Amino acid sequence: MKAKVRKPDASWEDINVADNRDGTHRVTVTGQLDGKYQVTMAIGDQPIPGCPVIIHVIKGLVKTIGSQGSAEGQYNNPRTVAINKDRDIVTADHYNNRLQISTREGKYKKFLKFKQFKEPFKPIDIAISSDNTYYSLDDSNKQVVVSDENGHVIRCFGQNELKNPKGIGISPVDGNVYVTDGGGHCVRVYTQHGKYLRSFGSYGKGQGQFNFPWGVVISSTGIVFVADNGNNHIQVFYADDQYLYSFDCQSWDGKIHVRYPRGIAIQNDNVYITAGSFAKPCSLLQFKSSGKFVCRIDSDRDGLNCPTGIALTDDVPCRVLVADTSNGCIKVFVQ
């Protein structure tokens, strides 16, 4: 058996055919370009009935959720997105002082509002634990607000340590909560019950030093990735907070210099980063966890403006949700 594929650029490529040793065979087509792929298969010189098989590969922006405003389904300076256990989208709707829950298709479900604090609740990031508990980072009150999915507050913590919190992540290994403190130029670590364990980092440009750290994410093996906003790179640490390596994200294609990484997410060996500020350019980038640049996912026509938080779905292909902060919406990309 042999197979080949005609790519969207009209070039042909032979495909490896794997024998499953049960009377069936398997071919794998990798869609590196947008467009139509035509797969032909044959036994000897005899085409297999049903060929060619047509596969349409879609990449890039596929959907925009919401618009600027304060009504249901609208956002004002959305800072991040997360996916809960019901696969709903949870958005930190910053200037509307609320969390907004919508279906994965973008249909409004409900608001979560917290009005019992000294200053208006202003969520800047959110992490959701394995038991569907929400850990909202409250920019105004310099605290982590822990609540259930219905908005009942369980506890708050961090008020004694946090100066300018920006990002939050939960370790899938030990459950500890990591909070980037832009004002303290460090990462602070807590238990889920709010006990302050330690911090690492200080102001500077050296290894393990930060200049206004922003997003933070922890891999399935406990490796910590921090978007070092002011130093324009990603720093990577062992689970014991020891510096491992860093990689640059400001000159990824040799043409456009993207600066100020903010949001960061990881899935398998892929790291996704939003970068840019009110001064263009702004981009959604994909790297390998080693720091090797893979691709730019968005394009100039997508119009990202100060993108921040990222959430990844478990779909195949993966959908990348981005809080397009200054445009007041959520943009969904297929990767």
Side-chain angles (χ1 to χ4, degrees), residues 62-306:
V62 296
K63 190 169 191 175
T64 297
I65 297 172
S67 60
Q68 187 75 37
S70 59
E72 295 178 358
Q74 293 186 319
Y75 305 98
N76 189 352
N77 205 250
R79 290 299 185 94
T80 199
V81 283
I83 307 294
N84 67 17
K85 72 172 184 179
D86 299 320
R87 305 181 79 187
D88 290 332
I89 302 168
V90 183
T91 304
D93 194 357
H94 187 68
Y95 285 150
N96 281 328
N97 311 116
R98 66 197 185 194
L99 301 180
Q100 184 164 179
I101 318 298
S102 58
T103 67
R104 58 181 299 168
E105 291 78 25
K107 183 179 180 181
Y108 166 81
K109 289 186 74 172
K110 63 182 176 181
F111 297 134
L112 300 185
K113 299 182 179 181
F114 307 99
K115 298 183 177 181
Q116 62 267 59
F117 306 126
K118 181 179 179 180
E119 300 294 335
F121 171 72
K122 279 187 166 50
I124 196 168
D125 201 1
I126 182 171
I128 300 177
S129 67
S130 58
D131 65 355
N132 211 42
T133 300
Y134 294 4
Y135 290 74
S136 303
L137 199 54
D138 179 4
D139 184 35
S140 291
N141 296 286
K142 316 301 181 191
Q143 64 181 355
V144 178
V145 179
V146 185
S147 70
D148 65 17
E149 60 187 358
N150 296 311
H152 299 125
V153 174
I154 299 169
R155 70 182 68 88
C156 300
F157 61 84
Q159 303 94 329
N160 295 327
E161 299 85 28
L162 297 172
K163 298 178 181 179
N164 193 347
K166 287 297 177 184
I168 188 168
I170 298 175
S171 170
V173 177
D174 58 18
N176 285 340
V177 180
Y178 289 70
V179 180
T180 55
D181 191 344
H185 303 287
C186 65
V187 178
R188 303 191 187 277
V189 186
Y190 300 83
T191 68
Q192 290 191 17
H193 288 91
K195 180 182 179 181
Y196 181 47
L197 299 177
R198 62 189 185 274
S199 68
F200 61 93
S202 60
Y203 178 74
K205 296 182 179 181
Q207 296 181 355
Q209 294 184 315
F210 301 108
N211 183 359
F212 213 82
W214 204 290
V216 59
V217 67
I218 303 91
S219 75
S220 60
T221 58
I223 302 299
V224 182
F225 292 75
V226 181
D228 190 0
N229 183 266
N231 286 326
N232 299 308
H233 59 198
I234 305 301
Q235 293 206 54
V236 186
F237 299 83
Y238 287 112
D240 63 0
D241 310 336
Q242 295 301 305
Y243 174 85
L244 183 54
Y245 60 89
S246 62
F247 58 91
D248 184 27
C249 59
Q250 64 173 320
S251 57
W252 45 272
D253 70 349
K255 299 177 182 178
I256 301 175
H257 292 266
V258 178
R259 306 183 67 192
Y260 310 119
R262 292 186 171 204
I264 186 167
I266 189 168
Q267 187 177 85
N268 300 323
D269 189 43
N270 296 306
V271 178
Y272 299 85
I273 298 164
T274 54
S277 64
F278 299 103
K280 299 291 181 71
C282 298
S283 288
L284 170 62
L285 311 175
Q286 181 185 355
F287 294 80
K288 289 298 183 182
S289 61
S290 63
K292 180 182 178 181
F293 173 73
V294 176
C295 67
R296 177 186 179 186
I297 297 175
D298 72 310
S299 65
D300 290 343
R301 66 178 179 271
D302 298 329
L304 287 177
N305 190 356
C306 204

Side-chain angles (χ1 to χ4, degrees), residues 5-11 29-39 53-60 62 301 334:
V5 59
R6 186 177 189 269
K7 299 180 180 179
D9 61 4
S11 64
V29 177
T30 302
Q32 296 177 330
L33 302 171
D34 293 1
K36 183 173 72 173
Y37 289 73
Q38 178 178 306
V39 182
V53 175
I54 304 300
I55 301 173
H56 293 278
V57 173
I58 301 173
K59 298 174 67 176
V62 296
R301 66 178 179 271
V334 170

